[in-house]
Amino acid sequence: MKNFVRTVLGDIAPTEMGITDCHDHLIKNGGPEMHEHIDFLMLDVAAAKQELANFVAAGGKTMVVMDPPNVGRDVTRMLEIANAFKGKAHIIMSTGFHKAKFYDKYSSWLKTVAEEKIVPMMIAEIEEGMDQHSYNGPVVERVSNKAGIIKCGTSYGVIDPLEQKALRIAAETYHQTGVPILIHTQLGTMGWEVVNFLIELDVAPQKIILSHLNKNPDRYYYEKILQLGVFIAFDGPDRVKYFPDSVLAENIKWLCDQGYQKQLLLAMDAGRFYYQAAYSATRGYFSYGIAYLLTHFVPLLKQLGVNQAAIDDMLINNPQVALAFDLTKR
Ligand SMILES: [Zn+2]
């Protein structure tokens, strides 16, 4: 069997991916995030198509949309977008879970259903097709399009029991399918801890991606994590409310200088209405959107002395390794 990544329109060779945004969003159809902020609601297919077109115009080719079932995933709208970009862009969709806060601690199916019964639900999303209702139940109706990555989440400074359950489910799903695992860390905490949790469950470090570490801009913590062999997906440039771009860019430069350029990925994680140019435009606002990664952040990396080979690794070569299924499991 040859190496592959699983897009919603079928498996492709990793070398077909081109410039890859490893964690982003185009549609979010409500769900528990909306209770944190209404800006998480993103339902406009035309705006999403325009945003993706902007990314493609800037040189982008593949986008990993990290909305898990029950937390904003909209299979129908996303497939409409993916089909419209057939031949122009690749979309990878996610199954799995988010942080524990988004699940009822007493009555959610993540709480009440046994792990050994949830694992086949995850495997089915990856091997048969996603549930078009995203396990919001009670009816499951699968489309033929498959999920190509499994997500888990951790909380701020802790790994909740429900999150530990989801991690065990993800690890077992990985063992039965080879699917890569991406972790949402809350404000970049518990990264090293969650990697060790998965490694103890025999997940290969090269199939683990950590998100949101940029919100915890501690280069020595990054180094300690990267020594475990995993990937860090740095998302969220253009998010000054956390840190200016220079903090992230200087840390990336430092990590490249330490020899870690083969373990770094880039993304925008533009998961709110006003983080996207096309959605903003529908209300008359100007904002940069997802293309900013390529039009603004990459030039800053170059300005700081990150060479083209390292940028190609982060945008093109490393995603081919991180997002490919683990063939030793198939
Ligand atoms: Zn996200």
Side-chain angles (χ1 to χ4, degrees), residues 285-323:
Y285 287 90
F286 168 81
S287 71
Y288 282 110
I290 292 173
Y292 182 97
L293 180 68
L294 304 175
T295 59
H296 288 69
F297 189 65
V298 167
L300 176 62
L301 290 175
K302 288 181 181 169
Q303 188 185 331
L304 292 183
V306 178
N307 63 33
Q308 189 63 46
I311 289 166
D312 288 348
D313 277 343
M314 290 185 271
L315 287 173
I316 300 169
N317 300 323
N318 301 346
Q320 297 177 15
V321 179
L323 297 167

Side-chain angles (χ1 to χ4, degrees), residues 95-122:
T95 190
F97 312 92
H98 211 298
K99 59 187 175 185
K101 184 185 177 191
F102 292 155
Y103 301 86
D104 190 294
K105 277 191 185 322
Y106 305 97
S107 63
S108 62
W109 60 263
L110 177 56
K111 172 65 183 180
T112 62
V113 181
E115 285 174 36
E116 57 270 27
K117 289 185 177 168
I118 299 180
V119 169
M121 293 168 64
M122 297 293 122

Side-chain angles (χ1 to χ4, degrees), residues 40-57:
F40 284 115
L41 188 63
M42 298 163 63
L43 283 173
D44 189 333
V45 170
K49 283 180 180 169
Q50 184 59 52
E51 192 70 26
L52 183 55
N54 295 349
F55 175 66
V56 171

